[in-house]
Amino acid sequence: ADPGHILSAVVDLERRWNALDLVDDTERRARWESIGAQLSQRLQRVFDETVALHGGVGDRLSGDRLNAVFGLENLSGNEPQRALRAAQALQQSLGPRGLADGEPAIGIAQGALLPTRMNGPFPLAGLPMTDAETLAGRAQAGETLLSDELRRALGTRNTPFAGRHAELSLMTSLLERTISTRRGRTIVTRGEAGIGKTRLLEALAEAARANGTQCHRVQVLDFGQVKARRPLAVLFASLLGVGVDADPIERGRAVADAIATGRLPAEMILHAIGLIGAPLSADQASIERNLDAQALEHGRIELVRRLIETACASAPLLLVIEDLHYAGSEEAARLGELAASVASQPALLVLSTRPDEDPIDAAWRARARGCPLTTLDLAPLTDDESRELAASYPQVPEEIVDG
């Protein structure tokens, strides 16, 4: 790839210490050195694992600073989100209740980066490195600062909605019909990368919430994730009110509360714990190892079905799963069973994918068991629609819009 065209997010981590007697750089450095090699190794390991989990590459600890890069080799378009999620995870794992008693100060920037060696990404040259380090230096302990360019890249909710009014009208009509008939359906929204799938689904969610519909969104990512971050697991956690960054203890507590209130059956606790990523006791782990893998998966789908049914008793549901093309074939097929789960409920399941990687095939439809399916293909904006979008940005020169 041409380094001048690589979008990268660089996480710069500066260790800060809360002890009141650390008043200047010399004393702070002395405190850092006193921690010793063992803590430094633990810090490096946690940093590397967290960055890798979010699809990035970490550099070696240098003094009190760590760097990571996202998207340098394989650009997928979601590097800003990856970097921000990694920063959030680092704040949790390296905060006062995490690895040590100091809180990290983090800066994130994006832009063109150039490796200066042939055998690895680091060290890197480019303005984003300087920007990220400057932001980390300005950040308070426990704070993450973003560059203006990165904020714009992450600010999809502030992106004007233009040109998809017919598609939005169709989707909201299908949602209204789903609610009135209490019969669910699935919409597959297909379009090339960057064509506006995410913004359309955000507009649909905004309209749904305004009408009292509960909304749950899952993002399928194109890099390795732990089981608790896979689509079905994230949806299950969201239906339980658990965020993606919740720790295992919080996840286990949510399962226990759901069983206590009757939302989940007690006899399926192993399925629930395994799906949400909560810790198993030694006895539970032993029992789970002896269970048939297919039976486990079937039980987990059943858990999600029950939560959907319980949630729909109080309000309609909109379930959005974005970038389904990143899911494996078996995982995508399991989501066909999710479609079957919404068919008898006032729930709309919306999936987004790219046309040439659409995983909706005969096997998926068989698992959906007759759930009504609507496919919506997004075309590029027309000239008039493009002008409508450009009109939302008064800083764009008129000659560019008309050109």
Side-chain angles (χ1 to χ4, degrees):
D2 181 355
H5 296 84
I6 294 176
L7 174 70
S8 301
V10 180
V11 179
D12 182 89
L13 175 68
E14 181 179 350
R15 300 288 295 176
R16 301 288 181 92
W17 303 100
N18 293 330
L20 296 178
D21 59 337
L22 302 181
V23 294
D24 58 36
D25 289 347
T26 301
E27 293 181 12
R28 186 176 65 184
R29 180 69 63 182
R31 171 65 188 271
W32 173 258
E33 292 174 351
S34 72
I35 295 171
Q38 184 176 2
L39 180 56
S40 297
Q41 290 171 0
R42 289 176 58 204
L43 171 62
Q44 184 76 62
R45 183 175 65 254
V46 170
F47 181 80
D48 289 344
E49 289 174 352
T50 303
V51 168
L53 178 65
H54 293 83
V57 178
D59 194 9
R60 292 191 302 272
L61 176 68
S62 176
D64 58 1
R65 189 176 296 274
L66 287 156
N67 293 322
V69 62
F70 298 80
L72 189 60
E73 296 180 355
N74 297 301
L75 189 65
S76 61
N78 62 356
E79 285 74 24
Q81 290 82 3
R82 293 186 188 191
L84 185 57
R85 291 191 189 100
Q88 292 167 341
L90 288 168
Q91 290 288 10
Q92 184 174 2
S93 59
L94 303 181
R97 291 176 293 178
L99 179 66
D101 61 352
E103 294 180 303
I106 299 177
I108 312 178
Q110 73 172 40
L113 289 164
L114 180 66
T116 57
R117 293 193 312 186
M118 296 295 294
N119 59 346
F122 295 100
L124 290 165
L127 185 60
M129 285 292 298
T130 303
D131 289 346
E133 291 176 355
T134 301
L135 288 167
R138 286 169 41 199
Q140 299 297 312
E143 186 179 22
T144 298
L145 297 182
L146 311 180
S147 68
D148 291 341
E149 185 178 9
L150 181 60
R151 286 184 180 279
R152 287 193 293 271
L154 290 166
T156 55
R157 292 189 182 277
N158 296 323
T159 302
F161 183 75
R164 301 292 180 197
H165 302 291
E167 292 91 340
L168 180 60
S169 178
L170 172 62
M171 297 173 86
T172 53
S173 295
L174 290 173
L175 176 60
E176 290 167 2
R177 180 170 179 77
T178 291
I179 295 170
S180 64
T181 62
R182 299 190 67 81
R183 303 291 295 179
R185 70 167 49 240
T186 298
I187 299 176
V188 178
T189 304
R190 304 193 307 184
E192 300 295 344
I195 205 167
K197 299 187 294 296
T198 294
R199 187 64 189 94
L200 174 60
L201 298 187
E202 284 178 350
L204 174 63
E206 290 164 7
R209 290 191 189 94
N211 290 328
T213 299
Q214 303 175 61
C215 301
H216 298 271
R217 174 184 173 274
V218 175
Q219 175 83 52
V220 184
L221 301 176
D222 63 332
F223 51 89
Q225 299 171 90
V226 295
K227 289 182 179 179
R229 298 232 178 187
R230 299 313 307 173
L232 192 65
V234 173
L235 177 59
F236 178 64
S238 181
L239 288 165
L240 284 179
V242 177
V244 293
D245 292 319
D247 62 42
I249 301 301
E250 291 178 85
R251 293 170 179 270
R253 190 180 301 120
V255 169
D257 291 344
I259 291 174
T261 57
R263 297 174 67 197
L264 294 177
E267 64 270 19
M268 299 188 75
I269 186 172
L270 283 180
H271 299 83
I273 289 176
L275 181 57
I276 204 171
L280 290 166
S281 68
D283 289 343
Q284 289 171 334
S286 177
I287 295 171
E288 186 187 48
R289 283 194 295 270
N290 292 316
L291 291 177
D292 178 71
Q294 282 191 327
L296 273 174
E297 287 301 325
H298 178 76
R300 289 167 181 171
I301 288 286
E302 175 62 16
L303 281 176
V304 176
R305 187 197 68 76
R306 292 194 184 200
L307 280 183
I308 289 173
E309 183 178 355
T310 301
C312 285
S314 59
L317 275 182
L318 172 64
L319 308 176
V320 176
I321 299 179
E322 291 197 58
D323 295 333
L324 185 61
H325 50 274
Y326 288 141
S329 58
E330 181 56 33
E331 187 169 53
R334 281 198 295 272
L335 294 177
E337 297 183 41
L338 182 62
S341 299
V342 307
S344 59
Q345 303 294 332
L348 183 65
L349 173 64
V350 182
L351 311 171
S352 75
T353 185
R354 294 176 185 169
D356 57 347
E357 300 173 86
D358 184 359
I360 307 300
D361 55 14
W364 192 96
R365 292 172 187 270
R367 292 205 187 193
R369 298 195 292 276
C371 176
L373 177 66
T374 300
T375 300
L376 183 60
D377 287 318
L378 300 185
L381 296 178
T382 65
D383 288 346
D384 288 342
E385 291 169 339
S386 297
R387 290 189 181 92
E388 178 189 351
L389 178 61
S392 303
Y393 297 93
Q395 69 273 24
V396 177
E398 186 174 342
E399 58 270 20
I400 294 180
V401 175
D402 293 335

